Amino acid sequence: MYRRILVPVDGTERAAAALGAALGLARLAGGTIVGVHVAAETPLLATGDVGGPFYDAWRNEADRVGRDALAYVVRRATEAGLPCETVLAPPGPAWDGIIATARGRACDVIVMASHGRHGLAAQLLGSETQRVLTHCDIPVLVVR
């Protein structure tokens, strides 16, 4: 049974639904929830403003959004009486941060939402869930 359950969160309702599924799994197995938030890569890297005031403002906002999303994980896990850990991963490709966290925290399964993009949007934007499925050897439960 799954004992360490990674749940990537971004503050969306879909991520909250995945968290609900993860909490259910954790209750069944007496498991631990590991919440992770990976901030998007900064658009300022291309401008060379890393370390400048625009980058600092972007980074502060990205960290705030991540802390809020992870606080929600902690609140829900605490209400369910389940142990919980959180990781605020550095900015980068979300799929890469999710897999690195799952491996680094010895997670048995990743429970994540699919944002359900279709057609051209899916082709242009890609799918973080699809990338996790493609590059990860840890089981992944996709919640729609």
Side-chain angles (χ1 to χ4, degrees), residues 33-97:
I33 296 293
V34 180
V36 63
H37 176 83
V38 183
E41 293 179 278
T42 174
L44 299 174
L45 288 176
T47 67
D49 190 40
V50 174
F54 294 112
Y55 176 81
D56 293 342
W58 172 85
R59 182 60 197 234
N60 289 337
E61 178 63 12
D63 286 349
R64 184 196 63 74
V65 168
R67 285 190 305 273
D68 289 351
L70 293 171
Y72 179 73
V73 173
V74 171
R75 188 169 55 253
R76 294 274 312 272
T78 300
E79 289 169 358
L82 295 167
C84 179
E85 303 169 13
T86 61
V87 177
L88 183 57
W95 66 269
D96 194 35

Side-chain angles (χ1 to χ4, degrees), residues 85-111:
E85 303 169 13
T86 61
V87 177
L88 183 57
W95 66 269
D96 194 35
I98 292 165
I99 293 171
T101 302
R103 289 180 178 149
R105 296 294 177 111
C107 293
D108 304 307
V109 65
I110 300 168
V111 178

Side-chain angles (χ1 to χ4, degrees), residues 2 19 21 35 38 41 83 86 90 105 130 138 142:
Y2 301 122
L19 176 58
V38 183
E41 293 179 278
T86 61
R105 296 294 177 111
Q130 183 62 43
I138 297 168
V142 179

Side-chain angles (χ1 to χ4, degrees), residues 111-125:
V111 178
M112 62 188 300
S114 172
H115 285 280
R117 292 184 182 101
H118 300 288
L120 186 58
Q123 291 175 356
L124 292 175
L125 298 173

